Amino acid sequence: MKLHGVINASHDSLAEFSIALTVDEALSRAKELIQQGGVGIDLGAAGSTQYADRVNTDEEWGRLEGKIEAISALGIELSIDTWNPEIMERALDAGANFMNASDGLQNPSMIDLAADREVPVVLPFLNGNDPKSLEFISGDPLETILPWFEKTLEKLEKSGIKKSQLILDPGTGFGPADWAWEERFKFQERIYRNLDRLRVFELPIYIALPWKMEDGRRELLDILLEVGFDYGRTHVPKQVLDASREILEK
């Protein structure tokens, strides 16, 4: 289990403690996350929640510039979380060495960039943000997720991306803004209890881990730790590692 600590270079993240608006703040938080047990950093500058500003390329890059260079100098894994291929390209040029492709590699320019740079790429399952498109959650979500990955992986390999670059994210961190937590919880629980089915693709699995622990979120984390995953995106590495030790000691 490799943990990538989260740094938000945008002011509107819901996890306020993860926000770092200056280079010094970002570097300090990166060091703290590594000290807590993270082996890498996931840095983003454009929030995806309904509360976040929608920013243009110049604004997003202005939030990242300088931070990437400072964090990459630590010699760690550094992923950039963006759906903008121009931002991703600039970030890789500045020292990032992972792509967290939040567009699900739907943009041909993002695909070309991944194929050209040959860096690891987090590929999230995307099924849209319309509640009507999420009707599959009432049954077995993996009946939708598995065929999506099968089709997408075939397309990406034909486009020049090496299969060995890809890391699969079941997309549980995404969803409609007004999705009730009770429904989101059931959706995530079904996926996490059956996460081993994603192993059919013989690729690493990446999970956006909860940072709050109430309302069943700790239960979801425990399920994940018991089932096992390869990469965890986390705001709180120490909390995850402590929970993992508790499970091992049972």
Side-chain angles (χ1 to χ4, degrees):
M1 177 178 68
K2 301 176 73 173
L3 299 179
H4 281 194
V6 177
I7 299 178
N8 287 302
S10 54
H11 65 275
D12 42 25
S13 170
L14 297 179
E16 294 183 0
F17 62 90
S18 70
I19 295 173
L21 300 181
T22 69
V23 172
D24 286 345
E25 288 172 351
L27 185 57
S28 176
R29 175 157 172 80
K31 291 177 178 178
E32 178 185 358
L33 289 164
I34 299 305
Q35 186 178 30
Q36 286 186 26
V39 301
I41 296 296
D42 184 64
L43 174 65
S48 59
T49 71
Q50 71 269 38
Y51 308 105
D53 295 337
R54 297 296 173 255
V55 297
N56 61 35
T57 297
D58 288 341
E59 289 174 304
E60 186 176 356
W61 181 249
R63 295 174 175 184
L64 292 170
E65 191 172 18
K67 298 180 179 73
I68 296 170
E69 293 88 342
I71 296 170
S72 66
L74 298 175
I76 58 175
E77 295 175 350
L78 172 58
S79 65
I80 301 302
D81 184 354
T82 185
W83 51 80
N84 185 329
E86 184 177 342
I87 292 293
M88 192 71 82
E89 183 172 19
R90 291 187 190 182
L92 292 171
D93 289 342
N97 50 29
F98 253 72
M99 293 172 61
N100 191 351
S102 53
D103 76 319
L105 289 178
Q106 302 302 296
N107 188 323
S109 296
M110 196 78 90
I111 293 173
D112 290 343
L113 182 62
D116 179 60
R117 299 303 180 95
E118 298 187 357
V119 297
V121 183
V122 178
L123 170 65
F125 164 75
L126 295 181
N127 198 62
N129 209 37
D130 179 354
K132 292 181 180 178
S133 72
L134 291 163
E135 292 175 356
F136 71 95
I137 68 171
S138 61
D140 179 0
L142 285 162
E143 290 297 319
T144 298
I145 293 172
L146 292 173
W148 186 90
F149 273 124
E150 184 175 9
K151 180 180 179 181
T152 302
L153 290 172
E154 182 179 354
K155 179 186 76 172
L156 295 178
E157 287 190 76
K158 289 179 179 177
S159 300
I161 294 179
K162 295 178 181 177
K163 183 179 178 182
S164 59
Q165 288 177 248
L166 297 169
I167 301 166
L168 306 186
D169 174 359
T172 49
F174 299 91
D178 58 353
W179 199 4
W181 167 245
E182 294 78 10
E183 291 301 313
R184 187 186 292 269
F185 173 86
K186 292 175 185 176
F187 172 71
Q188 293 186 3
E189 183 186 24
R190 290 189 190 105
I191 292 174
Y192 296 160
R193 290 195 184 280
N194 295 282
L195 199 61
D196 278 349
R197 289 166 62 188
L198 265 181
R199 299 287 182 189
V200 68
F201 300 110
E202 299 181 329
L203 289 171
I205 295 174
Y206 180 102
I207 301 291
L209 301 173
W211 54 273
K212 296 178 181 179
M213 290 294 106
E214 69 274 13
D215 297 328
R217 291 175 176 86
R218 174 57 194 265
E219 180 184 347
L220 292 175
L221 178 59
D222 286 350
I223 292 169
L224 284 166
L225 292 170
E226 289 169 357
V227 171
F229 54 90
D230 302 287
Y231 289 87
R233 179 184 185 273
T234 178
H235 299 73
V236 282
K238 183 180 184 300
Q239 185 171 268
V240 174
L241 292 171
D242 287 346
S244 179
R245 279 190 286 270
E246 288 178 20
I247 288 173
L248 289 173
E249 290 171 0
K250 286 182 180 177

